[in-house]
Amino acid sequence: RLIADSSLIQADASVDSLVECADESTGEIKKVSKTDPDAKAVGRAKYSGHLYLKNHITIDADTRIITDCHATPGAVQDCTVLNERLDYQIKSFGFEVKEMIADAGYGTGPVLNHLRSKKIRSYIPITDHNAGTKKPVYSNGFNYEWSKQRIKCPQGHYLYPHSKSYRGSIKFRMLGGHCKGCPLETKCLPATQK
C-alpha cells in the first residue's frame, strides 16, 4: 500500500524577479523567475504574493518509509505527477502495489484509469466529473488532439494548455488573437468558458 501527497515550499525567489518570455515549444508567453526558473506562482488565494516549489512524496503505508520524493515547480498539479512516479517506483524497486491512497487532488480520470489498468485499488476521492472517459469531449466543433495535448477550434486554430486548477482540470488558451474578428466568436463557446 502506498500513500501519496505533496507540499508547497516557498521558494527563495521574489515575485519581483518574474519576467515574460516565450515558451520555445508553444510560443506561449509565460512569466519566469530570473533567480529561480522552477519557482512558480500558485493559483490559490492563500498562496498569492509568493513563488513556490512542490515536493511530491510517496510512502509505504505499512513501514512508513518514504519510497519516493520528487520536486516540481509549485504550479504543477498532483494528478499530473502520480502516474509517472508510481511507474518509476514499480520499475526501480520492483514494488507490487495493491492499493494507492491519496487525497482529492489526485482524483482525476487519468490517475484513476492508470491505477485501474495496473489493477491497483484506489482510495482516492473522485473530483473529475469525466473520470473513466477516454478523452475530453468538446461541443461546437472543438476537437481534442490527445497525442499533442491541444484543442483544435472549428476554424482550425489551436488552443494550448495554459493553467490547471487545484482539482486538476486544465484551462486552454488560444495564442495569436485568432478569436478577435472570428465569424464564430459569439457562438463557439458560452461566455463562462471563454
Side-chain angles (χ1 to χ4, degrees), residues 136-148:
V137 177
Y138 298 94
S139 59
N140 300 337
F142 285 80
N143 293 305
Y144 185 70
E145 294 183 358
W146 190 260
S147 64
K148 295 185 180 177

Side-chain angles (χ1 to χ4, degrees), residues 53-118:
L53 301 168
K54 186 181 276 190
N55 67 355
H56 302 268
I57 305 290
T58 308
I59 67 165
D60 179 285
D62 298 323
T63 63
R64 298 183 182 173
I65 293 174
I66 296 172
T67 58
D68 189 51
C69 181
H70 182 71
T72 65
V76 171
Q77 298 299 312
D78 299 343
C79 61
T80 63
V81 175
L82 183 66
N83 294 347
E84 176 188 325
R85 299 315 302 167
L86 175 63
D87 290 347
Y88 169 81
Q89 292 174 81
I90 291 170
K91 182 178 178 184
S92 298
F93 309 124
F95 288 163
E96 292 184 29
V97 181
K98 302 288 184 204
E99 298 176 353
M100 176 60 73
I101 303 163
D103 64 30
Y106 299 89
T108 63
V111 168
L112 299 172
N113 285 335
H114 188 72
L115 294 173
R116 188 178 304 121
S117 75
K118 294 189 169 297

Side-chain angles (χ1 to χ4, degrees), residues 12-184:
D12 192 16
S14 168
V15 291
D16 295 332
S17 71
L18 294 174
V19 294
E20 288 188 350
C21 65
D23 183 291
E24 292 178 11
S25 61
T26 65
E28 180 180 354
I29 302 299
K30 295 183 175 188
K31 290 189 176 188
V32 177
S33 170
K34 292 184 292 189
T35 56
D36 187 350
D38 288 329
K40 301 291 181 212
V42 176
R44 290 190 268 176
K46 71 180 185 176
Y47 296 107
S48 65
H50 300 284
L51 301 178
Y52 292 89
L53 301 168
K54 186 181 276 190
N55 67 355
H56 302 268
I57 305 290
T58 308
I59 67 165
D60 179 285
D62 298 323
T63 63
R64 298 183 182 173
I65 293 174
I66 296 172
T67 58
D68 189 51
C69 181
H70 182 71
T72 65
V76 171
Q77 298 299 312
D78 299 343
C79 61
T80 63
V81 175
L82 183 66
N83 294 347
E84 176 188 325
R85 299 315 302 167
L86 175 63
D87 290 347
Y88 169 81
Q89 292 174 81
I90 291 170
K91 182 178 178 184
S92 298
F93 309 124
F95 288 163
E96 292 184 29
V97 181
K98 302 288 184 204
E99 298 176 353
M100 176 60 73
I101 303 163
D103 64 30
Y106 299 89
T108 63
V111 168
L112 299 172
N113 285 335
H114 188 72
L115 294 173
R116 188 178 304 121
S117 75
K118 294 189 169 297
K119 297 186 177 10
I120 298 172
R121 176 174 279 183
S122 65
Y123 293 95
I124 303 172
I126 297 174
T127 57
D128 184 350
H129 299 293
N130 293 319
T133 60
K134 297 251 186 227
K135 63 180 182 176
V137 177
Y138 298 94
S139 59
N140 300 337
F142 285 80
N143 293 305
Y144 185 70
E145 294 183 358
W146 190 260
S147 64
K148 295 185 180 177
Q149 299 290 303
R150 64 185 185 183
I151 299 171
K152 187 174 184 179
C153 84
Q155 295 293 303
H157 302 289
Y158 293 98
L159 292 89
Y160 294 94
H162 169 61
S163 62
K164 296 181 181 180
S165 76
Y166 73 99
R167 292 188 182 249
S169 64
I170 301 170
K171 291 183 180 181
F172 286 77
R173 177 170 75 175
M174 184 173 297
L175 305 172
H178 297 291
C179 293
K180 292 179 183 162
C182 173
L184 300 177

